[in-house]
mmCIF file with all atom_site columns, all heavy atoms in Angstrom:
data_model
loop_
_atom_site.group_PDB
_atom_site.id
_atom_site.type_symbol
_atom_site.label_atom_id
_atom_site.label_alt_id
_atom_site.label_comp_id
_atom_site.label_asym_id
_atom_site.label_entity_id
_atom_site.label_seq_id
_atom_site.pdbx_PDB_ins_code
_atom_site.Cartn_x
_atom_site.Cartn_y
_atom_site.Cartn_z
_atom_site.occupancy
_atom_site.B_iso_or_equiv
_atom_site.pdbx_formal_charge
_atom_site.auth_seq_id
_atom_site.auth_comp_id
_atom_site.auth_asym_id
_atom_site.auth_atom_id
_atom_site.pdbx_PDB_model_num
ATOM 1   N N   . GLY E 1 73 ? 10.222  16.956 -4.630  1.00 0.00 ? 73 GLY E N   1
ATOM 2   C CA  . GLY E 1 73 ? 11.102  17.299 -3.533  1.00 0.00 ? 73 GLY E CA  1
ATOM 3   C C   . GLY E 1 73 ? 12.421  16.562 -3.635  1.00 0.00 ? 73 GLY E C   1
ATOM 4   O O   . GLY E 1 73 ? 12.482  15.416 -4.077  1.00 0.00 ? 73 GLY E O   1
ATOM 5   N N   . ASN E 1 74 ? 13.496  17.208 -3.215  1.00 0.00 ? 74 ASN E N   1
ATOM 6   C CA  . ASN E 1 74 ? 14.823  16.606 -3.284  1.00 0.00 ? 74 ASN E CA  1
ATOM 7   C C   . ASN E 1 74 ? 14.934  15.441 -2.312  1.00 0.00 ? 74 ASN E C   1
ATOM 8   O O   . ASN E 1 74 ? 14.729  15.597 -1.117  1.00 0.00 ? 74 ASN E O   1
ATOM 9   C CB  . ASN E 1 74 ? 15.895  17.642 -2.965  1.00 0.00 ? 74 ASN E CB  1
ATOM 10  C CG  . ASN E 1 74 ? 16.022  18.705 -4.031  1.00 0.00 ? 74 ASN E CG  1
ATOM 11  O OD1 . ASN E 1 74 ? 15.734  18.466 -5.203  1.00 0.00 ? 74 ASN E OD1 1
ATOM 12  N ND2 . ASN E 1 74 ? 16.460  19.889 -3.640  1.00 0.00 ? 74 ASN E ND2 1
ATOM 13  N N   . GLY E 1 75 ? 15.245  14.265 -2.869  1.00 0.00 ? 75 GLY E N   1
ATOM 14  C CA  . GLY E 1 75 ? 15.482  13.081 -2.061  1.00 0.00 ? 75 GLY E CA  1
ATOM 15  C C   . GLY E 1 75 ? 14.289  12.560 -1.278  1.00 0.00 ? 75 GLY E C   1
ATOM 16  O O   . GLY E 1 75 ? 14.459  11.799 -0.343  1.00 0.00 ? 75 GLY E O   1
ATOM 17  N N   . ARG E 1 76 ? 13.106  12.972 -1.658  1.00 0.00 ? 76 ARG E N   1
ATOM 18  C CA  . ARG E 1 76 ? 11.910  12.540 -0.949  1.00 0.00 ? 76 ARG E CA  1
ATOM 19  C C   . ARG E 1 76 ? 10.810  12.180 -1.933  1.00 0.00 ? 76 ARG E C   1
ATOM 20  O O   . ARG E 1 76 ? 10.779  12.648 -3.064  1.00 0.00 ? 76 ARG E O   1
ATOM 21  C CB  . ARG E 1 76 ? 11.414  13.624 -0.004  1.00 0.00 ? 76 ARG E CB  1
ATOM 22  C CG  . ARG E 1 76 ? 12.408  14.047 1.060   1.00 0.00 ? 76 ARG E CG  1
ATOM 23  C CD  . ARG E 1 76 ? 11.792  15.037 2.012   1.00 0.00 ? 76 ARG E CD  1
ATOM 24  N NE  . ARG E 1 76 ? 10.695  14.429 2.768   1.00 0.00 ? 76 ARG E NE  1
ATOM 25  C CZ  . ARG E 1 76 ? 9.885   15.099 3.583   1.00 0.00 ? 76 ARG E CZ  1
ATOM 26  N NH1 . ARG E 1 76 ? 10.040  16.403 3.747   1.00 0.00 ? 76 ARG E NH1 1
ATOM 27  N NH2 . ARG E 1 76 ? 8.925   14.462 4.233   1.00 0.00 ? 76 ARG E NH2 1
ATOM 28  N N   . ASN E 1 77 ? 9.913   11.341 -1.487  1.00 0.00 ? 77 ASN E N   1
ATOM 29  C CA  . ASN E 1 77 ? 8.751   10.969 -2.286  1.00 0.00 ? 77 ASN E CA  1
ATOM 30  C C   . ASN E 1 77 ? 7.659   12.011 -2.085  1.00 0.00 ? 77 ASN E C   1
ATOM 31  O O   . ASN E 1 77 ? 6.612   11.746 -1.487  1.00 0.00 ? 77 ASN E O   1
ATOM 32  C CB  . ASN E 1 77 ? 8.277   9.572  -1.918  1.00 0.00 ? 77 ASN E CB  1
ATOM 33  C CG  . ASN E 1 77 ? 9.249   8.503  -2.349  1.00 0.00 ? 77 ASN E CG  1
ATOM 34  O OD1 . ASN E 1 77 ? 9.666   8.459  -3.503  1.00 0.00 ? 77 ASN E OD1 1
ATOM 35  N ND2 . ASN E 1 77 ? 9.613   7.637  -1.416  1.00 0.00 ? 77 ASN E ND2 1
ATOM 36  N N   . THR E 1 78 ? 7.948   13.182 -2.604  1.00 0.00 ? 78 THR E N   1
ATOM 37  C CA  . THR E 1 78 ? 7.027   14.295 -2.480  1.00 0.00 ? 78 THR E CA  1
ATOM 38  C C   . THR E 1 78 ? 6.873   14.983 -3.821  1.00 0.00 ? 78 THR E C   1
ATOM 39  O O   . THR E 1 78 ? 7.766   14.935 -4.670  1.00 0.00 ? 78 THR E O   1
ATOM 40  C CB  . THR E 1 78 ? 7.505   15.321 -1.441  1.00 0.00 ? 78 THR E CB  1
ATOM 41  O OG1 . THR E 1 78 ? 8.792   15.830 -1.825  1.00 0.00 ? 78 THR E OG1 1
ATOM 42  C CG2 . THR E 1 78 ? 7.618   14.683 -0.059  1.00 0.00 ? 78 THR E CG2 1
ATOM 43  N N   . ALA E 1 79 ? 5.753   15.631 -3.998  1.00 0.00 ? 79 ALA E N   1
ATOM 44  C CA  . ALA E 1 79 ? 5.509   16.433 -5.181  1.00 0.00 ? 79 ALA E CA  1
ATOM 45  C C   . ALA E 1 79 ? 4.710   17.653 -4.778  1.00 0.00 ? 79 ALA E C   1
ATOM 46  O O   . ALA E 1 79 ? 3.815   17.568 -3.937  1.00 0.00 ? 79 ALA E O   1
ATOM 47  C CB  . ALA E 1 79 ? 4.760   15.637 -6.247  1.00 0.00 ? 79 ALA E CB  1
ATOM 48  N N   . SER E 1 80 ? 5.037   18.764 -5.391  1.00 0.00 ? 80 SER E N   1
ATOM 49  C CA  . SER E 1 80 ? 4.331   20.001 -5.137  1.00 0.00 ? 80 SER E CA  1
ATOM 50  C C   . SER E 1 80 ? 3.698   20.505 -6.417  1.00 0.00 ? 80 SER E C   1
ATOM 51  O O   . SER E 1 80 ? 4.156   20.204 -7.515  1.00 0.00 ? 80 SER E O   1
ATOM 52  C CB  . SER E 1 80 ? 5.278   21.065 -4.579  1.00 0.00 ? 80 SER E CB  1
ATOM 53  O OG  . SER E 1 80 ? 5.798   20.685 -3.324  1.00 0.00 ? 80 SER E OG  1
ATOM 54  N N   . LEU E 1 81 ? 2.646   21.256 -6.250  1.00 0.00 ? 81 LEU E N   1
ATOM 55  C CA  . LEU E 1 81 ? 1.997   21.926 -7.366  1.00 0.00 ? 81 LEU E CA  1
ATOM 56  C C   . LEU E 1 81 ? 1.919   23.401 -7.023  1.00 0.00 ? 81 LEU E C   1
ATOM 57  O O   . LEU E 1 81 ? 1.145   23.800 -6.146  1.00 0.00 ? 81 LEU E O   1
ATOM 58  C CB  . LEU E 1 81 ? 0.608   21.352 -7.627  1.00 0.00 ? 81 LEU E CB  1
ATOM 59  C CG  . LEU E 1 81 ? -0.106  21.891 -8.862  1.00 0.00 ? 81 LEU E CG  1
ATOM 60  C CD1 . LEU E 1 81 ? 0.594   21.396 -10.129 1.00 0.00 ? 81 LEU E CD1 1
ATOM 61  C CD2 . LEU E 1 81 ? -1.570  21.488 -8.868  1.00 0.00 ? 81 LEU E CD2 1
ATOM 62  N N   . GLN E 1 82 ? 2.744   24.194 -7.700  1.00 0.00 ? 82 GLN E N   1
ATOM 63  C CA  . GLN E 1 82 ? 2.729   25.630 -7.517  1.00 0.00 ? 82 GLN E CA  1
ATOM 64  C C   . GLN E 1 82 ? 1.728   26.223 -8.497  1.00 0.00 ? 82 GLN E C   1
ATOM 65  O O   . GLN E 1 82 ? 1.864   26.030 -9.709  1.00 0.00 ? 82 GLN E O   1
ATOM 66  C CB  . GLN E 1 82 ? 4.116   26.213 -7.749  1.00 0.00 ? 82 GLN E CB  1
ATOM 67  C CG  . GLN E 1 82 ? 4.203   27.714 -7.523  1.00 0.00 ? 82 GLN E CG  1
ATOM 68  C CD  . GLN E 1 82 ? 3.990   28.094 -6.083  1.00 0.00 ? 82 GLN E CD  1
ATOM 69  O OE1 . GLN E 1 82 ? 4.713   27.640 -5.204  1.00 0.00 ? 82 GLN E OE1 1
ATOM 70  N NE2 . GLN E 1 82 ? 2.993   28.925 -5.832  1.00 0.00 ? 82 GLN E NE2 1
ATOM 71  N N   . MET E 1 83 ? 0.748   26.927 -7.980  1.00 0.00 ? 83 MET E N   1
ATOM 72  C CA  . MET E 1 83 ? -0.329  27.464 -8.789  1.00 0.00 ? 83 MET E CA  1
ATOM 73  C C   . MET E 1 83 ? -0.296  28.982 -8.734  1.00 0.00 ? 83 MET E C   1
ATOM 74  O O   . MET E 1 83 ? -0.341  29.573 -7.652  1.00 0.00 ? 83 MET E O   1
ATOM 75  C CB  . MET E 1 83 ? -1.682  26.945 -8.301  1.00 0.00 ? 83 MET E CB  1
ATOM 76  C CG  . MET E 1 83 ? -1.779  25.422 -8.285  1.00 0.00 ? 83 MET E CG  1
ATOM 77  S SD  . MET E 1 83 ? -3.413  24.819 -7.773  1.00 0.00 ? 83 MET E SD  1
ATOM 78  C CE  . MET E 1 83 ? -3.383  25.279 -6.033  1.00 0.00 ? 83 MET E CE  1
ATOM 79  N N   . HIS E 1 84 ? -0.222  29.600 -9.900  1.00 0.00 ? 84 HIS E N   1
ATOM 80  C CA  . HIS E 1 84 ? -0.243  31.049 -10.033 1.00 0.00 ? 84 HIS E CA  1
ATOM 81  C C   . HIS E 1 84 ? -1.408  31.461 -10.923 1.00 0.00 ? 84 HIS E C   1
ATOM 82  O O   . HIS E 1 84 ? -1.953  30.663 -11.674 1.00 0.00 ? 84 HIS E O   1
ATOM 83  C CB  . HIS E 1 84 ? 1.069   31.560 -10.628 1.00 0.00 ? 84 HIS E CB  1
ATOM 84  C CG  . HIS E 1 84 ? 2.273   31.355 -9.781  1.00 0.00 ? 84 HIS E CG  1
ATOM 85  N ND1 . HIS E 1 84 ? 2.448   31.978 -8.569  1.00 0.00 ? 84 HIS E ND1 1
ATOM 86  C CD2 . HIS E 1 84 ? 3.388   30.596 -9.975  1.00 0.00 ? 84 HIS E CD2 1
ATOM 87  C CE1 . HIS E 1 84 ? 3.603   31.615 -8.047  1.00 0.00 ? 84 HIS E CE1 1
ATOM 88  N NE2 . HIS E 1 84 ? 4.189   30.774 -8.879  1.00 0.00 ? 84 HIS E NE2 1
ATOM 89  N N   . SER E 1 85 ? -1.753  32.727 -10.841 1.00 0.00 ? 85 SER E N   1
ATOM 90  C CA  . SER E 1 85 ? -2.807  33.299 -11.681 1.00 0.00 ? 85 SER E CA  1
ATOM 91  C C   . SER E 1 85 ? -4.076  32.465 -11.625 1.00 0.00 ? 85 SER E C   1
ATOM 92  O O   . SER E 1 85 ? -4.688  32.142 -12.646 1.00 0.00 ? 85 SER E O   1
ATOM 93  C CB  . SER E 1 85 ? -2.310  33.431 -13.127 1.00 0.00 ? 85 SER E CB  1
ATOM 94  O OG  . SER E 1 85 ? -1.168  34.262 -13.197 1.00 0.00 ? 85 SER E OG  1
ATOM 95  N N   . LEU E 1 86 ? -4.473  32.126 -10.425 1.00 0.00 ? 86 LEU E N   1
ATOM 96  C CA  . LEU E 1 86 ? -5.627  31.253 -10.246 1.00 0.00 ? 86 LEU E CA  1
ATOM 97  C C   . LEU E 1 86 ? -6.909  31.913 -10.729 1.00 0.00 ? 86 LEU E C   1
ATOM 98  O O   . LEU E 1 86 ? -7.097  33.126 -10.585 1.00 0.00 ? 86 LEU E O   1
ATOM 99  C CB  . LEU E 1 86 ? -5.754  30.846 -8.784  1.00 0.00 ? 86 LEU E CB  1
ATOM 100 C CG  . LEU E 1 86 ? -4.755  29.775 -8.343  1.00 0.00 ? 86 LEU E CG  1
ATOM 101 C CD1 . LEU E 1 86 ? -4.619  29.752 -6.830  1.00 0.00 ? 86 LEU E CD1 1
ATOM 102 C CD2 . LEU E 1 86 ? -5.195  28.409 -8.858  1.00 0.00 ? 86 LEU E CD2 1
ATOM 103 N N   . LYS E 1 87 ? -7.767  31.085 -11.288 1.00 0.00 ? 87 LYS E N   1
ATOM 104 C CA  . LYS E 1 87 ? -9.045  31.513 -11.822 1.00 0.00 ? 87 LYS E CA  1
ATOM 105 C C   . LYS E 1 87 ? -10.169 30.807 -11.071 1.00 0.00 ? 87 LYS E C   1
ATOM 106 O O   . LYS E 1 87 ? -9.968  29.718 -10.536 1.00 0.00 ? 87 LYS E O   1
ATOM 107 C CB  . LYS E 1 87 ? -9.148  31.160 -13.311 1.00 0.00 ? 87 LYS E CB  1
ATOM 108 C CG  . LYS E 1 87 ? -8.013  31.688 -14.168 1.00 0.00 ? 87 LYS E CG  1
ATOM 109 C CD  . LYS E 1 87 ? -8.126  31.155 -15.582 1.00 0.00 ? 87 LYS E CD  1
ATOM 110 C CE  . LYS E 1 87 ? -6.980  31.642 -16.446 1.00 0.00 ? 87 LYS E CE  1
ATOM 111 N NZ  . LYS E 1 87 ? -7.069  31.102 -17.829 1.00 0.00 ? 87 LYS E NZ  1
ATOM 112 N N   . PRO E 1 88 ? -11.361 31.396 -11.045 1.00 0.00 ? 88 PRO E N   1
ATOM 113 C CA  . PRO E 1 88 ? -12.479 30.712 -10.377 1.00 0.00 ? 88 PRO E CA  1
ATOM 114 C C   . PRO E 1 88 ? -12.717 29.303 -10.901 1.00 0.00 ? 88 PRO E C   1
ATOM 115 O O   . PRO E 1 88 ? -13.082 28.412 -10.119 1.00 0.00 ? 88 PRO E O   1
ATOM 116 C CB  . PRO E 1 88 ? -13.672 31.627 -10.665 1.00 0.00 ? 88 PRO E CB  1
ATOM 117 C CG  . PRO E 1 88 ? -13.063 32.983 -10.776 1.00 0.00 ? 88 PRO E CG  1
ATOM 118 C CD  . PRO E 1 88 ? -11.734 32.761 -11.458 1.00 0.00 ? 88 PRO E CD  1
ATOM 119 N N   . GLU E 1 89 ? -12.497 29.070 -12.186 1.00 0.00 ? 89 GLU E N   1
ATOM 120 C CA  . GLU E 1 89 ? -12.698 27.745 -12.742 1.00 0.00 ? 89 GLU E CA  1
ATOM 121 C C   . GLU E 1 89 ? -11.656 26.732 -12.289 1.00 0.00 ? 89 GLU E C   1
ATOM 122 O O   . GLU E 1 89 ? -11.782 25.538 -12.580 1.00 0.00 ? 89 GLU E O   1
ATOM 123 C CB  . GLU E 1 89 ? -12.745 27.792 -14.277 1.00 0.00 ? 89 GLU E CB  1
ATOM 124 C CG  . GLU E 1 89 ? -11.564 28.500 -14.912 1.00 0.00 ? 89 GLU E CG  1
ATOM 125 C CD  . GLU E 1 89 ? -11.864 29.951 -15.255 1.00 0.00 ? 89 GLU E CD  1
ATOM 126 O OE1 . GLU E 1 89 ? -12.487 30.650 -14.421 1.00 0.00 ? 89 GLU E OE1 1
ATOM 127 O OE2 . GLU E 1 89 ? -11.482 30.394 -16.356 1.00 0.00 ? 89 GLU E OE2 1
ATOM 128 N N   . ASP E 1 90 ? -10.623 27.184 -11.587 1.00 0.00 ? 90 ASP E N   1
ATOM 129 C CA  . ASP E 1 90 ? -9.670  26.267 -10.982 1.00 0.00 ? 90 ASP E CA  1
ATOM 130 C C   . ASP E 1 90 ? -10.184 25.677 -9.676  1.00 0.00 ? 90 ASP E C   1
ATOM 131 O O   . ASP E 1 90 ? -9.552  24.765 -9.128  1.00 0.00 ? 90 ASP E O   1
ATOM 132 C CB  . ASP E 1 90 ? -8.332  26.965 -10.716 1.00 0.00 ? 90 ASP E CB  1
ATOM 133 C CG  . ASP E 1 90 ? -7.614  27.382 -11.985 1.00 0.00 ? 90 ASP E CG  1
ATOM 134 O OD1 . ASP E 1 90 ? -7.613  26.598 -12.955 1.00 0.00 ? 90 ASP E OD1 1
ATOM 135 O OD2 . ASP E 1 90 ? -7.034  28.485 -11.994 1.00 0.00 ? 90 ASP E OD2 1
ATOM 136 N N   . SER E 1 91 ? -11.278 26.192 -9.160  1.00 0.00 ? 91 SER E N   1
ATOM 137 C CA  . SER E 1 91 ? -11.829 25.684 -7.914  1.00 0.00 ? 91 SER E CA  1
ATOM 138 C C   . SER E 1 91 ? -12.202 24.218 -8.060  1.00 0.00 ? 91 SER E C   1
ATOM 139 O O   . SER E 1 91 ? -12.918 23.842 -8.989  1.00 0.00 ? 91 SER E O   1
ATOM 140 C CB  . SER E 1 91 ? -13.059 26.494 -7.499  1.00 0.00 ? 91 SER E CB  1
ATOM 141 O OG  . SER E 1 91 ? -12.723 27.838 -7.241  1.00 0.00 ? 91 SER E OG  1
ATOM 142 N N   . ALA E 1 92 ? -11.717 23.399 -7.157  1.00 0.00 ? 92 ALA E N   1
ATOM 143 C CA  . ALA E 1 92 ? -11.945 21.962 -7.230  1.00 0.00 ? 92 ALA E CA  1
ATOM 144 C C   . ALA E 1 92 ? -11.305 21.305 -6.017  1.00 0.00 ? 92 ALA E C   1
ATOM 145 O O   . ALA E 1 92 ? -10.592 21.944 -5.247  1.00 0.00 ? 92 ALA E O   1
ATOM 146 C CB  . ALA E 1 92 ? -11.341 21.371 -8.510  1.00 0.00 ? 92 ALA E CB  1
ATOM 147 N N   . THR E 1 93 ? -11.571 20.009 -5.884  1.00 0.00 ? 93 THR E N   1
ATOM 148 C CA  . THR E 1 93 ? -10.799 19.188 -4.976  1.00 0.00 ? 93 THR E CA  1
ATOM 149 C C   . THR E 1 93 ? -9.596  18.657 -5.745  1.00 0.00 ? 93 THR E C   1
ATOM 150 O O   . THR E 1 93 ? -9.752  18.061 -6.807  1.00 0.00 ? 93 THR E O   1
ATOM 151 C CB  . THR E 1 93 ? -11.629 18.029 -4.418  1.00 0.00 ? 93 THR E CB  1
ATOM 152 O OG1 . THR E 1 93 ? -12.764 18.551 -3.729  1.00 0.00 ? 93 THR E OG1 1
ATOM 153 C CG2 . THR E 1 93 ? -10.801 17.203 -3.439  1.00 0.00 ? 93 THR E CG2 1
ATOM 154 N N   . TYR E 1 94 ? -8.422  18.881 -5.216  1.00 0.00 ? 94 TYR E N   1
ATOM 155 C CA  . TYR E 1 94 ? -7.187  18.471 -5.874  1.00 0.00 ? 94 TYR E CA  1
ATOM 156 C C   . TYR E 1 94 ? -6.646  17.220 -5.197  1.00 0.00 ? 94 TYR E C   1
ATOM 157 O O   . TYR E 1 94 ? -6.517  17.163 -3.973  1.00 0.00 ? 94 TYR E O   1
ATOM 158 C CB  . TYR E 1 94 ? -6.154  19.594 -5.817  1.00 0.00 ? 94 TYR E CB  1
ATOM 159 C CG  . TYR E 1 94 ? -6.420  20.684 -6.819  1.00 0.00 ? 94 TYR E CG  1
ATOM 160 C CD1 . TYR E 1 94 ? -7.487  21.559 -6.658  1.00 0.00 ? 94 TYR E CD1 1
ATOM 161 C CD2 . TYR E 1 94 ? -5.614  20.831 -7.951  1.00 0.00 ? 94 TYR E CD2 1
ATOM 162 C CE1 . TYR E 1 94 ? -7.759  22.546 -7.588  1.00 0.00 ? 94 TYR E CE1 1
ATOM 163 C CE2 . TYR E 1 94 ? -5.869  21.818 -8.884  1.00 0.00 ? 94 TYR E CE2 1
ATOM 164 C CZ  . TYR E 1 94 ? -6.944  22.675 -8.700  1.00 0.00 ? 94 TYR E CZ  1
ATOM 165 O OH  . TYR E 1 94 ? -7.193  23.658 -9.630  1.00 0.00 ? 94 TYR E OH  1
ATOM 166 N N   . TYR E 1 95 ? -6.322  16.232 -6.023  1.00 0.00 ? 95 TYR E N   1
ATOM 167 C CA  . TYR E 1 95 ? -5.858  14.943 -5.541  1.00 0.00 ? 95 TYR E CA  1
ATOM 168 C C   . TYR E 1 95 ? -4.435  14.670 -5.999  1.00 0.00 ? 95 TYR E C   1
ATOM 169 O O   . TYR E 1 95 ? -4.103  14.884 -7.171  1.00 0.00 ? 95 TYR E O   1
ATOM 170 C CB  . TYR E 1 95 ? -6.742  13.812 -6.065  1.00 0.00 ? 95 TYR E CB  1
ATOM 171 C CG  . TYR E 1 95 ? -8.181  13.889 -5.628  1.00 0.00 ? 95 TYR E CG  1
ATOM 172 C CD1 . TYR E 1 95 ? -9.118  14.580 -6.379  1.00 0.00 ? 95 TYR E CD1 1
ATOM 173 C CD2 . TYR E 1 95 ? -8.598  13.262 -4.464  1.00 0.00 ? 95 TYR E CD2 1
ATOM 174 C CE1 . TYR E 1 95 ? -10.436 14.653 -5.984  1.00 0.00 ? 95 TYR E CE1 1
ATOM 175 C CE2 . TYR E 1 95 ? -9.914  13.322 -4.061  1.00 0.00 ? 95 TYR E CE2 1
ATOM 176 C CZ  . TYR E 1 95 ? -10.835 14.020 -4.822  1.00 0.00 ? 95 TYR E CZ  1
ATOM 177 O OH  . TYR E 1 95 ? -12.141 14.075 -4.426  1.00 0.00 ? 95 TYR E OH  1
ATOM 178 N N   . CYS E 1 96 ? -3.630  14.203 -5.095  1.00 0.00 ? 96 CYS E N   1
ATOM 179 C CA  . CYS E 1 96 ? -2.331  13.664 -5.435  1.00 0.00 ? 96 CYS E CA  1
ATOM 180 C C   . CYS E 1 96 ? -2.487  12.192 -5.782  1.00 0.00 ? 96 CYS E C   1
ATOM 181 O O   . CYS E 1 96 ? -3.307  11.488 -5.182  1.00 0.00 ? 96 CYS E O   1
ATOM 182 C CB  . CYS E 1 96 ? -1.365  13.829 -4.265  1.00 0.00 ? 96 CYS E CB  1
ATOM 183 S SG  . CYS E 1 96 ? 0.304   13.206 -4.562  1.00 0.00 ? 96 CYS E SG  1
ATOM 184 N N   . ALA E 1 97 ? -1.724  11.715 -6.749  1.00 0.00 ? 97 ALA E N   1
ATOM 185 C CA  . ALA E 1 97 ? -1.794  10.330 -7.167  1.00 0.00 ? 97 ALA E CA  1
ATOM 186 C C   . ALA E 1 97 ? -0.407  9.810  -7.501  1.00 0.00 ? 97 ALA E C   1
ATOM 187 O O   . ALA E 1 97 ? 0.484   10.578 -7.877  1.00 0.00 ? 97 ALA E O   1
ATOM 188 C CB  . ALA E 1 97 ? -2.717  10.177 -8.383  1.00 0.00 ? 97 ALA E CB  1
ATOM 189 N N   . ALA E 1 98 ? -0.242  8.494  -7.384  1.00 0.00 ? 98 ALA E N   1
ATOM 190 C CA  . ALA E 1 98 ? 1.019   7.831  -7.707  1.00 0.00 ? 98 ALA E CA  1
ATOM 191 C C   . ALA E 1 98 ? 0.749   6.665  -8.634  1.00 0.00 ? 98 ALA E C   1
ATOM 192 O O   . ALA E 1 98 ? -0.242  5.952  -8.475  1.00 0.00 ? 98 ALA E O   1
ATOM 193 C CB  . ALA E 1 98 ? 1.720   7.353  -6.438  1.00 0.00 ? 98 ALA E CB  1
ATOM 194 N N   . GLY E 1 99 ? 1.636   6.458  -9.599  1.00 0.00 ? 99 GLY E N   1
ATOM 195 C CA  . GLY E 1 99 ? 1.462   5.357  -10.530 1.00 0.00 ? 99 GLY E CA  1
ATOM 196 C C   . GLY E 1 99 ? 2.595   5.270  -11.510 1.00 0.00 ? 99 GLY E C   1
ATOM 197 O O   . GLY E 1 99 ? 3.748   5.566  -11.183 1.00 0.00 ? 99 GLY E O   1
#
Side-chain angles (χ1 to χ4, degrees):
N74 292 332
R76 301 185 65 187
N77 291 309
T78 59
S80 296
L81 186 69
Q82 182 67 58
M83 303 182 290
H84 295 294
S85 301
L86 284 161
K87 306 174 181 179
E89 52 263 43
D90 294 319
S91 297
T93 301
Y94 283 71
Y95 298 90
C96 180

